[in-house]
């Protein structure tokens, strides 16, 4: 029997994890700690919400179809901002606005791949990337990472075949949080350029990078549009997750193909969210700097508090952006352990098995903690619960 496109992949991991909560009662002295999804739970700041309300009430065109590739003003602002951050030349006609960063990835793959083509993904991978490749009839080629969860360009080179169309990297990484060094990103860019394939670089969490300055210099190469497909999201920066505002930077020829995809699946991105993103870029620089500082404070709390878990045999494999990626000390596999944590410790997190191929045993020892919605005290409570678990599991 031939599988349908959706039957070719697995259930959405975050939705699957939420179903583990069904029928579970959490005691008053041990409320649920939900660290399963990397999304802010707070709404946008009041000033931005007011702007969105004014757009909704005062702009009739905001309720109509807009340009398929997004509002020209937002495209221009993002082009300017991208050039400012990374150096190099980025023009408005090299930018598309999408309905979230996942749609930007889907559009990129649609322009690159035919049935049976291949895309290289480092493991642990972002599961929605794997799901879309499955549903597109594209073969995912896993690239193992090292002990620091960094991919090796030489190992990637050995995986390239005549059917390889792209390598896809996420930095800061989802799920591990690891920030890929600029020289590593350059090595992958050079590898892609030599082989005439694309480098898809998803920087959804760029605004929470620990270092100051540009994360890389890939846009400084005047030929970047021939190789680089850069993805970004406004969702985390301005708490616009429900409004689905993502973006892609690439060459004009590819954007003409992207336009076909976007027009077919959504016609245009939502306009109120786009106006919000534009106003946020123009007015919320200091506010966003405060958001970044708070995330870095919570990241430091993970590092500072981790010795409590290290004494129990846990290991911190990766840390950055919204994520702490852990190796647990138990014999129980992580998918079973994650379900156990819901019932026994009132913790909802994702197991490493959701970020690896089924035949890779590495995920069985790993858990992802999305800590962005826990303050320092909340992180302390999380660690106390994990440290207090039955060692015989």
């Amino acid at each position: 029997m031939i599988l349908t496109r959706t039957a070719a992949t697995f259930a959405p991991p975050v939705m699957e994890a939420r179903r583990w909560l069904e029928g579970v009662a959490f005691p008053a002295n041990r409320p649920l700690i939900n660290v399963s999804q990397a999304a802010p739970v707070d709404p946008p700041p009041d000033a931005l919400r007011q702007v969105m309300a004014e757009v909704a009430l005062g702009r009739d065109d905001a309720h109509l179809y807009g340009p398929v590739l997004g509002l020209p003003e937002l495209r221009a602002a993002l082009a300017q901002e991208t050039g400012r951050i990374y150096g190099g030349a980025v023009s408005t006609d090299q930018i598309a606005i999408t309905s979230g960063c996942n749609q930007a990835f889907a559009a990129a793959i649609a322009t690159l791949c035919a049935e049976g083509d291949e895309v290289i993904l480092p493991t642990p991978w972002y599961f929605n990337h794997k799901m879309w490749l499955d549903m597109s009839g594209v073969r995912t080629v896993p690239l193992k990472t090292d002990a620091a969860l960094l991919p090796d360009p030489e190992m990637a080179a050995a995986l390239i075949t005549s059917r390889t169309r792209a390598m896809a990297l996420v930095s800061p990484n989802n799920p591990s949080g690891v920030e890929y060094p600029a020289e590593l990103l350059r090595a992958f860019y050079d590898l892609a350029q030599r082989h005439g394939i694309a480098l898809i670089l998803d920087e959804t969490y760029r605004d929470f990078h620990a270092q100051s300055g540009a994360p890389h210099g890939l846009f400084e190469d005047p030929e970047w549009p021939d190789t680089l497909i850069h993805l970004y999201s406004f969702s985390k920066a301005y708490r616009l997750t429900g409004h689905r505002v993502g973006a892609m930077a690439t060459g004009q020829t590819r954007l003409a193909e992207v336009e076909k995809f976007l027009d077919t699946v959504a016609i245009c991105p939502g306009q109120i969210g786009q106006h919000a993103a534009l106003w946020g870029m123009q007015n919320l620089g200091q506010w966003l700097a405060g958001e970044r500082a708070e995330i870095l404070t919570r990241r430091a709390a993970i590092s500072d508090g981790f010795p409590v878990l290290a004494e129990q045999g846990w290991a911190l494999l990766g840390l950055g952006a919204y994520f702490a990626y852990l190796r647990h000390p138990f014999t129980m596999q992580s998918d079973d352990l994650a379900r156990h944590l819901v019932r026994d410790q009132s913790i909802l997190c994702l197991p490493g098995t959701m970020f690896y191929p089924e035949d890779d045993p590495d995920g069985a020892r790993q858990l992802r903690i999305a800590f962005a919605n826990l303050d320092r005290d909340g992180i302390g409570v999380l660690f106390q619960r994990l440290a207090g678990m039955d060692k015989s599991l």
Side-chain angles (χ1 to χ4, degrees):
M1 179 180 177
I2 298 175
L3 292 177
T4 64
R5 288 302 194 191
T6 54
T9 196
F10 42 85
V14 171
M15 296 302 101
E16 179 182 343
R18 286 184 184 178
R19 286 190 280 271
W20 301 341
L21 302 177
E22 295 174 2
V24 180
F26 301 104
N29 65 342
R30 199 188 65 211
L32 176 67
I33 297 177
N34 188 343
V35 286
S36 65
Q37 189 171 22
V41 295
D42 293 323
D46 287 346
L48 183 54
R49 297 171 78 181
Q50 181 62 40
V51 168
M52 296 169 76
E54 291 170 359
V55 169
L57 290 171
R59 292 197 58 146
D60 292 347
D61 63 346
H63 304 282
L64 306 177
Y65 290 142
V68 174
L69 293 179
L71 293 177
E73 311 95 287
L74 180 57
R75 295 173 66 195
L78 183 57
Q80 183 179 16
E81 180 76 351
T82 303
R84 183 190 68 79
I85 292 173
Y86 296 97
V90 183
S91 61
T92 300
D93 55 12
Q94 293 170 323
I95 298 289
I97 305 302
T98 59
S99 298
C101 195
N102 273 5
Q103 190 187 70
F105 179 82
I109 295 302
T111 71
L112 288 166
C113 297
E115 187 86 19
D117 283 341
E118 300 173 354
V119 172
I120 296 171
L121 294 188
T123 57
W125 53 41
Y126 174 42
F127 46 68
N128 282 151
H129 286 177
K130 174 62 165 66
M131 292 174 72
W132 182 253
L133 295 176
D134 290 346
M135 289 188 284
S136 300
V138 177
R139 178 172 175 258
T140 301
V141 179
L143 171 61
K144 276 191 169 292
T145 51
D146 62 17
L149 299 181
L150 293 172
D152 184 335
E154 292 185 7
M155 290 179 63
L159 298 175
I160 294 174
T161 72
S162 61
R163 300 304 300 266
T164 305
R165 298 293 174 260
M167 300 177 289
L169 305 181
V170 183
S171 180
N173 186 256
N174 180 2
S176 72
V178 171
E179 298 172 353
Y180 292 175
E183 59 271 19
L184 180 64
L185 293 173
R186 182 73 205 199
F188 271 93
Y189 176 86
D190 291 343
L191 175 63
Q193 197 171 52
R194 287 197 304 272
H195 286 269
I197 63 177
L199 175 63
I200 302 173
L201 179 56
D202 182 338
E203 291 194 281
T204 290
Y205 300 94
R206 177 190 71 197
D207 297 297
F208 306 101
H209 203 288
Q211 74 173 47
S212 58
H216 56 79
L218 301 184
F219 285 101
E220 295 175 1
D221 183 347
E223 297 181 355
W224 72 262
D226 298 331
T227 300
L228 180 63
I229 302 176
H230 185 265
L231 311 183
Y232 176 65
S233 172
F234 297 94
S235 296
K236 311 303 188 294
Y238 305 117
R239 303 179 187 167
L240 292 171
T241 53
H243 293 277
R244 315 308 304 125
V245 192
M248 174 193 297
T250 188
Q252 296 175 46
T253 301
R254 186 172 307 283
L255 278 192
E257 299 301 303
V258 166
E259 188 175 40
K260 299 177 188 177
F261 180 88
L262 298 179
D263 183 66
T264 303
V265 300
I267 300 181
C268 66
Q271 297 216 59
I272 294 175
Q274 289 187 81
H275 283 289
L278 177 61
W279 192 89
M281 291 181 69
Q282 295 170 337
N283 296 278
L284 292 180
Q286 284 299 111
W287 179 86
L288 181 55
E291 292 287 284
R292 175 177 177 268
E294 178 58 29
I295 290 296
L296 293 179
T297 295
R298 297 176 189 191
R299 172 177 172 164
I302 296 281
S303 295
D304 294 345
F306 199 78
V308 171
L309 290 183
E311 292 174 358
Q312 305 297 319
W314 294 76
L316 182 60
L317 302 179
L319 178 62
Y322 279 25
F323 307 107
Y325 202 69
L326 313 181
R327 185 175 65 234
H328 68 78
F330 308 108
T331 57
M332 182 182 288
Q333 292 206 115
S334 63
D335 50 349
D336 293 327
L337 181 64
R339 292 177 176 85
H340 176 84
L341 284 170
V342 171
R343 300 186 303 270
D344 190 65
Q345 296 295 335
S346 303
I347 297 170
L348 181 65
C349 64
L350 298 190
T353 50
M354 291 179 167
F355 308 102
Y356 283 89
E358 290 183 359
D359 60 354
D360 191 326
D362 287 349
R365 295 291 307 281
Q366 299 169 0
L367 296 172
R368 188 190 79 172
I369 302 296
F371 64 81
N373 293 310
L374 294 181
D375 59 17
R376 181 175 284 270
D377 290 341
I379 289 168
V381 173
L382 173 69
F383 282 4
Q384 287 173 9
R385 292 189 192 178
L386 293 176
M389 292 173 61
D390 185 348
K391 296 181 177 59
S392 67
L393 292 174

